[in-house]
Amino acid sequence: MRIGFIGTGTITAAVVTGMIRFGVSFERVALSPRNAKTAARLAALDARIEVCESNQRVLDTSDVVCLAVVPQIAQDVLSELTFDARHHVISFIAGKSLDQIRALVRRSARIVRAVPLPAVAAGKGSTAICPHDDIARTLFAPLGEAVEVDDEHQFDALSAATATMAAFFALLEEQASWLVAQGVPYASARSFLSGYHVGLAHEATSGTEPFSAMIGHASTPGGLNEQFNRELSERGTYAHYAEALDNIMRRVKGRG
Ligand SMILES: NC(=O)c1ccc[n+]([C@@H]2O[C@H](COP(=O)([O-])OP(=O)(O)OC[C@H]3O[C@@H](n4cnc5c(N)ncnc54)[C@H](OP(=O)(O)O)[C@@H]3O)[C@@H](O)[C@H]2O)c1
């Protein structure tokens, strides 16, 4: 695989780092010249990674092309480029539909969307892919969970679900603050909660049963977990999630 990246920012750095760490098979990685510092750091990782002098050169020397610029400049950047029918284009660009990317690429190249998350660098990133695509799966499955869907609405929904990151950390901060109020030093609270949640995440990834079944296993009748979950449910804590995700979905689809 000769793979090129247009845009060498956070997400390209994470993907390329993950590719090297987790042994994704490739012949060559071509990086666009911006951001020069990140591109140079990535090029130092492996002799097969090269920083090209232009975005067009990335295209000319690649078969798989990942689009990794921010949405605001996508039109300007892509309109200057000449794609080829051989290109297999994987767009990371948030909020640009398959049809919009196809219009910008202006060729009958294969177009796929993917949302790799920064955790792909550590082999722990879930990546939504649309539509099903062997090349995108080969690239992202070794870097965590690759989840393919053919329906773009489902892909948008998976993208919307990635808006819950800050809220996840807010939940941890809330629990840490409570522990601190009980006299536990913040560092101990942080360390405890981080490890505790790794354990829970490990349980989630070790099996395939529905989360509702896991709630059941964790909720001994009359036990502490059962009480805590019930109290939050009764106060409508979880009900806010679907509503807030609906609002995010409107933005993901450009209607918010
Ligand atoms: N970050 C995430 O968690 C995440 C997750 C999934 C998808 N995405 C999507 O992935 C895309 C990239 O996100 P990101 O977080 O990696 O953004 P980013 O860190 O801002 O990276 C974008 C890069 O594009 C470069 N650039 C600017 N103008 C360019 C040009 N004319 N030609 C080539 N490169 C140019 C910038 O270089 P300079 O620094 O030199 O300006 C910057 O390094 C976005 O569309 C985003 O929606 C991001």
Side-chain angles (χ1 to χ4, degrees):
M1 170 160 61
R2 296 187 309 161
I3 180 165
F5 292 82
I6 302 295
T8 312
T10 307
I11 214 63
T12 292
V15 172
V16 173
T17 303
M19 287 172 66
I20 300 296
R21 280 193 189 152
F22 300 99
V24 172
S25 168
F26 69 93
E27 196 180 316
R28 181 169 179 284
V29 165
L31 301 174
S32 58
R34 288 178 61 174
N35 167 311
K37 200 170 153 196
T38 304
R41 179 170 60 77
L42 294 174
L45 293 178
D46 191 290
R48 294 167 295 169
I49 303 176
E50 183 196 339
V51 184
C52 295
E53 69 269 18
S54 69
N55 290 337
Q56 187 59 51
R57 181 76 187 148
V58 172
L59 260 58
D60 294 346
T61 57
S62 304
D63 304 310
V64 178
V65 179
C66 296
L67 306 180
V69 288
V70 294
Q72 298 88 321
I73 64 165
Q75 175 141 13
D76 289 346
V77 173
L78 298 182
S79 64
E80 287 176 358
L81 299 176
T82 306
F83 285 84
D84 197 278
R86 78 167 193 288
H87 283 134
H88 195 102
V89 177
I90 306 179
S91 172
F92 304 160
I93 303 172
K96 294 270 181 223
S97 68
L98 288 168
D99 281 347
Q100 287 172 314
I101 296 295
R102 202 168 284 118
L104 291 171
V105 165
R106 306 180 311 281
R107 278 288 170 141
S108 58
R110 166 103 171 139
I111 314 273
V112 179
R113 292 179 72 189
V115 207
L117 298 175
V120 292
K124 306 265 185 242
S126 282
T127 303
I129 297 166
C130 178
H132 274 73
D133 186 71
D134 290 347
I135 290 181
R137 184 174 56 255
T138 303
L139 179 58
F140 293 115
L143 313 187
E145 299 285 336
V147 175
E148 296 164 275
V149 292
D150 285 328
D151 179 326
E152 204 166 8
H153 178 81
Q154 293 178 16
F155 176 82
D156 286 339
L158 291 167
S159 306
T162 68
T164 57
M165 279 185 254
F168 172 76
F169 291 120
L171 209 55
L172 292 188
E173 185 61 25
E174 193 62 34
Q175 293 174 49
S177 298
W178 182 84
L179 287 169
V180 167
Q182 310 311 308
V184 179
Y186 186 85
S188 304
R190 192 190 186 290
S191 168
F192 179 84
L193 291 169
S194 301
Y196 170 63
H197 284 88
V198 165
L200 296 178
H202 176 72
E203 264 187 65
T205 51
S206 314
T208 54
E209 63 180 354
F211 295 128
S212 55
M214 299 181 73
I215 296 172
H217 301 322
S219 303
T220 309
L224 304 181
N225 271 273
E226 191 263 351
Q227 176 184 331
F228 186 76
N229 186 38
R230 179 171 33 79
E231 279 194 31
L232 292 188
S233 297
E234 284 173 359
R235 289 173 200 193
T237 309
Y238 306 128
H240 296 303
Y241 266 78
E243 200 181 315
L245 282 170
D246 281 345
N247 292 335
I248 296 296
M249 186 68 163
R250 271 190 278 281
R251 283 186 63 189
V252 166
K253 287 190 167 293
R255 298 197 302 257

